[in-house]
């Protein structure tokens, strides 16, 4: 008996094709099923037999020696290939994948694949590139939209009495295309030669009724079998196959909708899933789901809306000559009826229902690198389930479980797996014990985990290895201090010694004050995590104090001769260093030297904040930028004065004197405007508290000549635009009311201070500030 072969040509990820394949297999009853897909997948196809492999899923193949060379073959519940695989395993039939092994695609051939080079050479020779077969068929049928045409003739049609008839019609159409040489490529020829070889192997194995599920375009090439020698000659030109591993990984509907990267280009996977899984007319049920979604988002949608939307979708389908209301008609009805014309509400329906956030599941027995298995173990123990839909996670680092979750997310970020990214907390807190994350699992993380497996077999071991490797390759000091911070956040005590050695070596050789200033804040931030995370940060304190000392010494000379962009960048550095030194406190030198006596020997009697203040005073006294030797931009001089004023190291009278000197006619208006910008950055309320400063500024601005006013106006607009809205309004009112040289009158409602009532609050304030351990007993009858 001659073996029979049923060629079932399908469109990948088409619900109509999937239903047709299910009907054809049930009618024809094959004894073997062959499916288009990488041949290595035969090793994992048995996992589809259980209930633990839930689509959407994907086959992931990667080169063993280089996991970054990877490829995906995604499958949804409505994919014809998945339906064929499920039919085979449910009926205990042999099932094989017959496409070219993925190892050929990963073979390095001058950086390109052999078939890609052949196609490029054809293009350079002036030959036409392969065209879209569906577009050609739709055009021949008089349709300008190939997607809509295919849906009308295939996806929206129910199987008839002869389940094989639609496949014969599709095969005839594809044969006509290929007879004209349309759409063919060198890659297709190689793949089809391998498929024919696998069909011959199935015949030799004794199978008599073989069902082949493949892309419709390949059917004519598989039907007309050339000689074995012909196919062997074609395949002889393939590069040497690379050893590849393959497994199943979870996939998402959202990733299926993306044509770029590792997507599949299915524009509406949620809609397709509904078409495949819904018996009868799918439109009413889908519109009911849309109504439920909109009601959950507080949109007023009733049952009457749904009824009218169904009528409208069906009417539009009739007017447009379609056999069934498709997605276009359904969404038009949703917009007009359910959303009342709102595109915002319609986008919600598109995102949640047309695309969706379905995430597949893979059994524990699926092949995986040890790092992936360790991650899965941690996800279970920490109750962090990967989900495709973004969600927020607030952590309290004082709790052991939350601290472990934080370490895991930071370690994964270090490994390039951005499952969680830091987010703004919904709980207002300035403490270091709280973290907020935005979690969203992406399918391609499987590749990054495979790549990271080179650093270790567990998440912690891999993160330590990656941190040490990154430190050894780092060339910027800021990169190393940021890595130190990451190591502390991730709890990588095993990596800190090596990273700190690299940091010390780099800091000793780096003389650029801007680099030192940029590196210091991350190091100081890392010190703040010691109390909550229980890390030993003695070495960090010494390194941070050393960097701070060098910044204090080198800051004034580093600010000489900067242009506008350089001055703006340096101002940001100065602000960051100022905050960092404030956090370090006066005992930083002692932590660096070992004790207070050594600190005095190393740095004198002054503390680090005092030396930083001295550096700011030196910067504030520098000449304007016009001086070639010692000129410093007004932006930086004004910023130094403001920081000294805020710290109480400069009184308001001295600040007013410096402002008066800067705004004098001897200074260039542009330099004066820069000084004012630096002085007012961070808050302009001091102009309200000290009207003399506002009067000086108003007087100077009124005296600026017309020829330079247009030059300083952008600077002043930028300065005042950065102030709080309430401050700007009050300043405008003060200037309009005038005069500005007198303090505002006290309101009539103000009363004299009552010392007795003020003293009553002191014990409570003392306890809040930690001065006294308890509130003293109040005398009986005291007026509080």
């Amino acid at each position: 008996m001659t073996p029979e072969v049923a060629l079932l040509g399908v469109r990948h990820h088409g619900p109509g094709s999937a239903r047709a394949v299910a009907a054809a297999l049930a009618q024809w009853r094959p004894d073997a099923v062959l499916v288009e897909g990488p041949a290595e997948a035969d090793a994992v196809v048995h996992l589809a037999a259980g209930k633990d492999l839930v689509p959407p899923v994907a086959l992931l193949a990667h080169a063993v020696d280089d996991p970054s060379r990877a490829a995906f073959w995604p499958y949804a519940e409505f994919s014809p290939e998945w339906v064929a695989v499920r039919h085979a395993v449910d009926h205990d039939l042999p099932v094989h994948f017959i496409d070219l092994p993925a190892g050929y695609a990963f073979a390095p051939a001058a950086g390109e694949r052999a078939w890609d080079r052949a196609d490029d050479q054809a293009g350079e020779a002036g030959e036409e590139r392969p065209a879209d077969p569906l577009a050609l068929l739709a055009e021949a049928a008089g349709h300008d939209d190939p997607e809509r045409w295919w849906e009308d003739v295939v996806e929206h049609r129910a199987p008839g009495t002869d389940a094989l008839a639609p496949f014969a019609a599709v095969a005839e159409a594809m044969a006509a295309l290929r007879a004209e040489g349309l759409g063919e490529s060198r890659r297709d020829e190689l793949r089809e030669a391998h498929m024919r070889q696998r069909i011959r192997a199935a015949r030799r194995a004794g199978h008599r009724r073989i069902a082949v599920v493949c892309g419709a375009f390949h059917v004519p090439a598989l039907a007309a079998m050339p000689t074995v020698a012909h196919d062997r000659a074609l395949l002889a030109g393939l590069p040497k196959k690379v050893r590849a591993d393959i497994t199943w990984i979870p996939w998402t509907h959202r990733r299926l909708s993306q044509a770029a990267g590792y997507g599949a280009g299915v524009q509406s996977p949620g809609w397709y899933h509904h078409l495949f899984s819904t018996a009868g007319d799918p439109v009413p049920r889908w519109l009911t789901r849309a109504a439920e979604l909109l009601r959950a988002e507080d949109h007023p949608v009733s049952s009457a809306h749904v009824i009218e939307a169904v009528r409208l979708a069906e009417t539009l389908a009739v007017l447009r000559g379609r056999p069934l209301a498709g997605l276009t008609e359904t969404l038009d009805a949703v917009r007009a009826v359910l959303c009342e014309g709102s595109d915002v509400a319609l986008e919600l329906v598109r995102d949640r229902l047309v695309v969706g956030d379905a995430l597949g599941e893979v059994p524990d027995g699926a092949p995986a690198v040890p790092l992936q298995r360790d991650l899965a173990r941690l996800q279970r123990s920490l109750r962090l389930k990967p989900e495709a839909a973004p969600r927020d996670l607030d952590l309290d680092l004082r709790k052991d479980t939350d601290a472990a979750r934080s370490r895991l997310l930071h370690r994964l970020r270090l490994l390039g797996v951005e499952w969680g990214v830091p987010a703004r907390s919904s709980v207002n807190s300035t403490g270091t014990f709280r973290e907020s994350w935005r979690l969203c699992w992406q399918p391609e993380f499987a590749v990054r985990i495979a790549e990271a497996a080179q650093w270790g077999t567990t998440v912690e071991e891999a993160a330590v290895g990656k941190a040490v490797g990154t430190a050894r390759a780092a060339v910027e000091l800021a990169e190393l201090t940021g890595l130190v911070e990451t190591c502390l956040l991730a709890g990588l005590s095993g990596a800190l010694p090596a990273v700190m050695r690299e940091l010390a070596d780099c800091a000793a050789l780096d003389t650029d004050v801007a680099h030192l200033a940029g590196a210091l804040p991350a190091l100081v931030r890392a010190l703040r995590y010691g109390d909550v995370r229980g890390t030993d940060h003695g070495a960090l304190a010494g390194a941070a104090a050393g960097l701070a000392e060098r910044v204090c010494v080198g800051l004034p000379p580093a600010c000489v001769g900067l242009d506008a962009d350089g001055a703006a960048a340096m101002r940001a550095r100065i602000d960051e260093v100022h905050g960092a030194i404030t956090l370090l406190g006066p005992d930083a030198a002692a932590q660096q030297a070992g004790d207070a006596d050594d600190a005095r020997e190393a740095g004198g009697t002054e503390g680090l904040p005092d030396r930083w203040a001295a550096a700011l005073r030196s910067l504030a006294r520098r000449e304007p930028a016009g001086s070639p030797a010692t000129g410093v931009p007004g932006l930086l001089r004004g910023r130094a004065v403001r920081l000294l004023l805020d710290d109480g190291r400069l009184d308001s009278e001295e600040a007013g004197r410096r402002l008066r000197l800067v705004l004098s006619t001897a200074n260039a208006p542009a330099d004066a405007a820069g000084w004012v910008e630096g002085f007012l950055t961070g808050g302009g309320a001091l102009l309200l508290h000290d009207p003399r400063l506002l009067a000086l500024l108003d007087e100077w601005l009124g005296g600026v000549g017309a020829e330079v006013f247009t030059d300083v106006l952008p600077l002043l607009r930028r300065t005042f635009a950065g102030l709080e809205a309430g401050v700007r309004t009050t300043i405008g009112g003060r200037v309009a009311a005038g005069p500005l040289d007198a303090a505002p009158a006290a309101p009539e409602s103000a009363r004299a201070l009552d010392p007795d009532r003020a003293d009553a609050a002191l014990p409570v304030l003392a306890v809040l500030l930690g001065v006294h351990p308890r509130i003293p007993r109040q005398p009986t009858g005291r007026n509080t």
Side-chain angles (χ1 to χ4, degrees):
M1 178 179 177
T2 304
E4 297 181 68
V5 178
L7 299 174
L8 308 181
V10 300
R11 187 187 188 191
H12 304 301
H13 312 298
S17 295
R19 286 194 301 269
V21 165
L25 293 176
Q27 173 182 315
W28 204 59
R29 297 182 180 179
D31 60 1
V33 177
L34 307 183
V35 179
E36 179 181 339
E40 294 95 338
D42 283 0
V44 295
V45 70
H46 66 280
L47 295 173
K51 301 298 183 181
D52 295 331
L53 188 63
V54 181
V57 292
L59 288 167
L60 162 63
H62 64 82
V64 174
D65 297 333
D66 184 5
S68 64
R69 288 148 59 192
F72 296 87
W73 288 263
Y75 300 101
E77 187 176 352
F78 51 82
S79 300
E81 298 89 344
W82 177 259
V83 170
V85 168
R86 287 295 311 174
H87 177 91
V89 297
D90 289 344
H91 292 80
D92 199 21
L93 301 177
V95 56
H96 300 285
F97 289 86
I98 62 174
D99 209 339
L100 273 175
Y104 287 120
F106 304 145
E112 299 172 320
R113 298 173 182 171
W115 51 76
D116 289 338
R117 293 202 315 277
D119 290 342
D120 290 342
Q121 291 168 1
E124 293 170 0
E127 300 177 19
E128 288 189 8
R129 297 281 183 176
D132 179 10
L134 292 185
L136 296 173
L137 289 175
E139 182 180 359
H143 290 258
D144 57 355
D145 188 341
E147 296 289 334
R148 180 178 297 184
W149 173 79
W150 182 264
E151 286 187 354
D152 288 347
V153 299
V154 176
E155 306 300 347
H156 290 170
R157 301 284 184 180
T161 55
D162 184 2
L164 296 177
F167 295 103
V170 170
E172 183 180 356
M174 292 298 169
L177 282 179
R178 299 200 65 161
E180 300 294 330
L182 300 176
E184 295 183 353
S185 68
R186 174 65 173 173
R187 179 184 180 186
D188 288 328
E189 292 177 358
L190 293 170
R191 293 173 60 204
E192 289 159 356
H194 189 271
M195 292 181 193
R196 289 191 292 264
Q197 291 286 65
R198 296 300 300 269
I199 293 174
R200 295 185 182 105
R203 287 172 170 172
R204 291 195 299 270
H207 298 298
R208 295 306 176 195
R209 296 175 68 83
I210 303 169
V212 180
V213 180
C214 62
F217 183 76
H218 304 300
V219 169
L222 301 184
M225 281 275 190
T227 63
V228 175
H230 173 272
D231 288 342
R232 286 178 177 173
L234 275 177
L235 297 175
L238 287 171
K240 183 179 179 180
K241 184 171 67 173
V242 171
R243 190 163 65 94
D245 282 343
I246 195 165
T247 187
W248 293 101
I249 64 168
W251 207 249
T252 66
H253 276 176
R254 193 168 301 281
R255 186 61 63 186
L256 276 171
S257 67
Q258 298 178 4
Y262 301 126
V266 181
Q267 297 178 359
S268 49
W271 168 257
Y272 274 8
H273 180 270
H274 179 77
L275 289 182
F276 179 74
S277 59
T278 302
D281 189 352
V283 174
R285 295 188 181 184
W286 195 85
L287 287 172
T288 301
R289 292 176 57 202
E292 292 175 353
L293 171 64
L294 292 171
R295 279 197 295 266
E297 298 294 330
D298 295 329
H299 291 272
V301 180
S302 66
S303 300
H305 284 87
V306 176
I307 295 172
E308 289 304 318
V310 171
R311 290 174 178 171
L312 178 58
E314 293 174 347
T315 302
L316 290 173
V318 172
L319 292 175
R320 294 168 181 174
R322 306 195 67 180
L324 180 70
L327 181 60
T328 302
E329 289 73 29
T330 306
L331 287 180
D332 286 345
V334 169
R335 177 192 284 112
V337 181
L338 302 187
C339 300
E340 297 181 345
S342 171
D343 287 334
V344 175
L346 181 65
E347 280 305 312
L348 177 66
V349 175
R350 287 184 185 274
D351 184 70
R352 301 280 185 85
L353 295 183
V354 177
V355 178
D357 290 311
L359 176 66
E361 298 179 9
V362 172
D364 295 336
V369 295
L371 178 60
Q372 175 68 61
R373 295 193 182 280
D374 184 61
L375 174 58
R377 177 186 63 81
L378 291 172
Q379 288 170 335
R380 289 192 299 269
S381 64
L382 298 176
R383 299 187 297 278
L384 278 179
K385 183 180 179 181
E387 296 177 350
R391 70 183 181 97
D392 293 329
L393 178 67
D394 289 324
L395 300 178
D396 185 343
L397 302 182
R398 296 169 296 185
K399 300 177 181 178
D400 293 341
T401 300
D402 282 359
R405 289 172 174 174
S406 172
R407 289 192 295 270
L408 174 62
L409 294 174
H410 282 293
R411 289 170 181 176
L412 290 176
R413 292 194 76 204
L414 181 60
L415 294 173
V417 181
E418 298 278 347
W419 178 23
V421 294
R424 181 181 294 273
S425 174
S426 57
V427 180
N428 293 326
S429 174
T430 58
T432 58
F433 63 84
R434 187 175 297 279
E435 279 186 351
S436 293
W437 296 83
R438 170 62 64 90
L439 303 183
C440 183
W441 185 263
Q442 301 293 340
E444 60 265 27
F445 290 161
V447 176
R448 298 177 190 174
I449 293 170
E451 292 175 350
Q454 61 178 306
W455 300 107
T457 57
T458 67
V459 174
E460 180 177 4
E461 180 183 332
V464 169
K466 178 66 178 296
V468 173
T470 302
R472 290 172 178 168
V475 294
E476 296 287 342
L477 186 59
E479 183 180 358
L480 283 168
T481 55
L483 186 59
V484 169
E485 182 182 14
T486 300
C487 288
L488 283 177
L489 292 169
L492 302 178
S493 56
L496 269 178
V499 176
M500 289 301 298
R501 284 195 299 270
E502 297 293 335
L503 173 63
D505 293 342
C506 186
L509 298 175
D510 201 331
T511 59
D512 191 322
V513 174
H515 290 171
L516 299 176
L520 179 62
L523 207 56
V524 174
R525 283 196 305 269
L527 290 171
R528 301 184 65 199
Y529 308 132
D531 294 337
V532 174
R533 298 174 187 271
T535 54
D536 180 12
H537 54 266
L540 293 180
L547 285 181
E549 294 283 355
R550 295 175 62 188
V551 172
C552 291
V553 172
L555 177 65
C559 295
V560 174
L562 296 177
D563 59 9
D565 293 337
M570 184 60 76
R571 189 204 69 184
R573 299 290 192 202
I574 290 173
D575 286 345
E576 292 174 352
V577 171
H578 184 77
I581 290 179
T582 302
L583 288 176
L584 276 176
D587 297 330
Q591 296 176 20
Q592 178 188 17
D595 55 46
D597 294 336
D598 292 340
R600 283 192 291 271
E601 293 177 5
T605 59
E606 296 179 336
L608 182 57
D610 295 326
R611 286 189 287 281
W612 173 245
L616 291 177
R617 288 193 185 95
S618 175
L619 183 62
R621 289 194 300 265
R622 293 278 175 155
E623 295 293 326
S627 304
T630 60
V632 171
L635 178 69
L636 302 182
R637 302 191 334 269
R639 191 63 190 151
V641 172
R642 175 60 184 274
L643 294 176
L644 291 169
L645 178 64
D646 289 346
D647 279 357
R649 297 177 180 271
L650 200 70
D651 56 34
S652 59
E653 291 187 4
E654 177 62 17
R657 187 186 70 84
R658 292 177 182 270
L659 177 60
R660 188 179 298 108
L661 290 174
V662 168
L663 299 181
S664 65
T665 56
N667 250 10
D671 182 77
W675 197 99
V676 171
E677 180 183 1
F679 185 71
L680 294 182
T681 297
L686 59 90
L687 293 179
L688 304 179
H689 300 316
D690 193 341
R692 293 171 298 176
L693 297 180
L694 181 57
L696 285 173
L697 186 60
D698 181 59
E699 181 183 357
W700 168 76
L701 186 57
V704 172
E707 64 279 1
V708 296
F709 181 77
T710 54
D711 295 332
V712 301
L713 182 60
L715 294 176
L716 294 174
R717 286 179 62 89
R718 183 174 63 195
T719 300
F720 282 91
L723 303 182
E724 302 89 338
V727 172
R728 292 200 307 268
T729 302
T730 306
I731 289 176
R734 291 271 181 90
V735 172
L740 297 174
D741 55 352
E748 296 181 359
S749 60
R751 295 183 295 178
L753 177 66
D754 184 343
D756 290 336
R757 299 185 67 185
D759 289 344
L762 291 180
V764 178
L765 291 175
V767 172
L768 292 176
L769 297 175
V771 178
H772 298 294
R774 61 186 178 84
I775 301 177
R777 184 177 182 84
Q778 299 292 339
T780 303
R782 182 171 184 128
N783 179 20
T784 57

